[in-house]
Amino acid sequence: MKKVAVAILMVAVVCTSLFAQGGSEAAAAVVTNAEKPVVFFNRQPSDPVTGVIDMEVMNWNDKTYYVGFDAAGGGAVQGQLIVDFLASADPAVVDRNGDGVIGYVLCIGDVGHNDSKARTQGIREALGTWTGSTDPGVENTKEGSANVGGTTMPVVELDSRAMTGTDGTTWNANAATDAMGGWATRLGDQIDMVISNNDGMAMGCLQASNYPAGVPIFGYDANADAIEAIGAGTLTGTVSQNVDAQATATLQVIRNLLDGLTGDAVVTAGITEPDQYGNKISASVDYVPETKALLAQNTGVNSSNWTEYQAGARDTGIKQTDAPTKRVLLTIYNSGDNFLSSSYIPALQYYAPLLNIDLTIVQGDGQNESSCLDRFMNLNSYDAYAINMVRTNSGRDYLDRLQY
Ligand code: BGC
C-alpha cells in the first residue's frame, strides 16, 4: 500500500516537472524539440552573397516555414514610387544645379540581406543604372535615364554605401547620418535625390546637419516616424511591407501547426481563409511552396495616401481567440533595428495575446550571432520557435540546438 502511494507520488512529481518545463503539457511529454514548429521571419535563410535560399534549413522538419514579404516585388514598388515622383516633377526644381542630370545617392543597408539586395536592384532597374550588381559603389552602376516631368533626363548614382556601423551592425542609421553629411559636403547640389533601402537610414540622412533642405528622399518600411515625416513634408515616400500581415502570419502559422493542422491548411487557415476561430488576415499574403515562404505584399506610400498608414491601425480581421495557450520563443537579430523595434515587435505584441500565444522575445546586438544564440535557451520550455538571425546563413546554428 505504502509502495503504491510512493509510486503515485513519483509519477505526480515527474508530471509536475514536465508541466513546469513545457508550456503545453502534452507537447512537452511527447514532442521532441526537433519536431516542433520553426518559423524564420524577416531574414530569410539564404546565402549572403548569392541570395540563394537555403532549402536544407527550410526542410529541417515539415513544420519549418519562412514568413516575410515579397522582396523582389517590393524593390519594384520602391523603384516605381521614385519613377512616378520624377514623372510628375518639374525638371527645373528637381535638377538642383541645372546640369541636365539627375544625381542620387543610395543607402544600401545590408549587402548580405535579400531585402536589401532586392531594393537596390529595384531602384537601379527603375532608374536604368542597373548593371547586374547589388554591391555599393559607382563602378557597379551605369548612366540611366528617367522621364522628369515629360523630359527624358540622364540619371547617375553619385555614390552608395552599405551603412555598416562602427560596431559592425548593418542598416545603421548613424552611419547614414555620417554618410549623408559627407555626401552633402562633397557632392553639394549634384545631389537631386536621396534613396534609402529603409526608413531608419532615411531618417538618419535627414538628421545630417547639412542635409540639403527640400531634396526628395525615399525610404522603405512605413515606420510610424517615417509616415509622420511624409505628413510633415520632410520624407517624400516609403514602402509598406505590411508589417501587421507579416507579424500575424508568423504567429498564425505557428498557431496552425500547434493546433495540428497539416497540408495546405497550415498556410491557408487564418491567412487566405478564416481559421477555426473565425480569424483571417485582411491583407493578402501569398504562399510560395518552393521556398516554404509566406509573403506579404508591398504598397507605395507618399503624400497622397500616408494617412492610411498612420500608427495604430491594426487588422480588425484578427480577434481574441479561445485557443489553448502555447509558448513561443522568438529571437530578434538586433535590438537596435529601427523597423523591428518600432514596427514589428509592437505588432507581435498586439496580435500574440489574441492568438493566445505566450511570446518570449530575446534580442541580439546585430553583429554577433552568439548574442541571439546564447539567449536561444531553455528550449524544452517552448512549444515552437520563431527565428530572426543575425546572419542569413546561420539558420543551422539554431537548428543544431533543437537536435537534443
Ligand atoms: C527592413 C529593414 C530592417 C531589416 C532587418 C528589412 O526587411 O526593411 O528596415 O532593418 O529588415 O532584417
Side-chain angles (χ1 to χ4, degrees):
M1 202 49 201
K2 230 179 177 180
K3 271 189 184 162
V4 172
V6 170
I8 291 173
L9 191 69
M10 277 176 65
V11 169
V13 168
V14 169
C15 288
T16 318
S17 74
L18 279 175
F19 286 112
Q21 257 190 35
S24 147
E25 303 76 17
V30 294
V31 181
T32 66
N33 294 342
E35 294 166 310
K36 294 176 184 173
V38 178
V39 175
F40 290 93
F41 67 97
N42 174 268
R43 300 169 78 83
Q44 193 164 19
S46 54
D47 185 305
V49 177
T50 61
V52 172
I53 312 299
D54 186 343
M55 287 313 292
E56 244 178 70
V57 162
M58 290 312 300
N59 286 322
W60 155 252
N61 66 20
D62 62 352
K63 299 191 184 72
T64 306
Y65 288 89
Y66 172 72
V67 177
F69 67 99
D70 176 10
V77 169
Q78 194 182 20
Q80 193 59 46
L81 188 78
I82 298 164
V83 163
D84 289 346
F85 164 80
L86 288 175
S88 60
D90 178 353
V93 175
V94 180
D95 179 13
R96 291 201 302 143
N97 62 359
D99 64 352
V101 176
I102 301 299
Y104 73 94
V105 287
L106 175 66
C107 303
I108 288 189
D110 177 355
V111 284
H113 190 298
N114 278 10
D115 299 350
S116 197
K117 288 179 195 293
R119 293 170 202 171
T120 299
Q121 177 168 354
I123 292 156
R124 288 180 176 166
E125 278 180 346
L127 297 173
T129 53
W130 173 244
T131 59
S133 169
T134 53
D135 288 339
V138 283
E139 64 281 12
N140 295 308
T141 65
K142 63 178 171 60
E143 185 179 292
S145 69
N147 162 20
V148 185
T151 312
T152 301
M153 293 178 74
V155 178
V156 293
E157 187 171 300
L158 301 166
D159 202 0
S160 52
R161 296 270 173 82
M163 299 309 172
T164 307
T166 45
D167 59 359
T169 56
T170 51
W171 304 92
N172 190 295
N174 292 333
T177 306
D178 289 349
M180 187 67 233
W183 284 333
T185 305
R186 182 163 62 85
L187 300 165
D189 58 10
Q190 288 180 67
I191 304 174
D192 300 315
M193 282 193 305
V194 177
I195 307 177
S196 169
N197 284 344
N198 85 355
D199 285 342
M201 296 183 297
M203 299 305 283
C205 285
L206 285 168
Q207 291 298 312
S209 54
N210 56 351
Y211 187 85
V215 166
I217 172 165
F218 299 86
Y220 198 112
D221 285 341
N223 288 343
D225 59 347
I227 296 295
E228 292 310 312
I230 293 179
T234 46
L235 192 76
T236 317
T238 186
V239 178
S240 165
Q241 52 171 288
N242 210 329
V243 70
D244 283 71
Q246 288 184 66
T248 324
T250 296
L251 300 169
Q252 183 73 41
V253 170
I254 291 174
R255 180 81 257 166
N256 291 346
L257 290 163
L258 293 174
D259 284 353
L261 302 191
T262 54
D264 285 353
V266 174
V267 290
T268 57
I271 297 167
T272 53
E273 50 198 55
D275 67 5
Q276 56 179 307
Y277 313 103
N279 276 349
K280 179 186 162 316
I281 298 173
S282 305
S284 84
V285 178
D286 301 324
Y287 183 58
V288 185
E290 298 76 38
T291 48
K292 301 176 80 182
L294 275 160
L295 305 178
Q297 293 304 318
N298 303 269
T299 11
V301 186
N302 59 20
S303 58
S304 68
N305 63 350
W306 68 278
T307 51
E308 293 165 34
Y309 294 85
Q310 274 179 300
R314 294 291 181 204
D315 186 347
T316 52
I318 311 299
K319 303 204 166 61
Q320 183 65 54
T321 69
D322 58 1
T325 301
K326 298 290 179 182
R327 298 193 63 193
V328 174
L329 176 63
L330 181 143
T331 73
I332 293 284
Y333 88 105
N334 181 3
S335 59
D337 185 278
N338 197 283
F339 168 65
L340 292 168
S341 57
S342 74
S343 294
Y344 211 110
I345 295 179
L348 286 169
Q349 284 166 335
Y350 175 82
Y351 295 107
L354 300 183
L355 271 61
N356 278 345
I357 288 181
D358 175 0
L359 207 55
T360 299
I361 300 179
V362 295
Q363 307 198 45
D365 65 9
Q367 358 156 10
N368 305 300
E369 204 66 64
S370 57
S371 65
C372 269
L373 273 172
D374 291 353
R375 296 182 171 97
F376 194 64
M377 55 195 286
N378 299 328
L379 300 172
N380 296 343
S381 306
Y382 300 96
D383 299 299
Y385 314 96
I387 301 173
N388 181 236
M389 305 159 285
V390 175
R391 252 165 279 286
T392 56
N393 57 353
S394 300
R396 196 74 228 177
D397 298 337
Y398 292 82
L399 301 178
D400 281 348
R401 298 192 175 205
L402 298 175
Q403 298 268 28
Y404 308 103

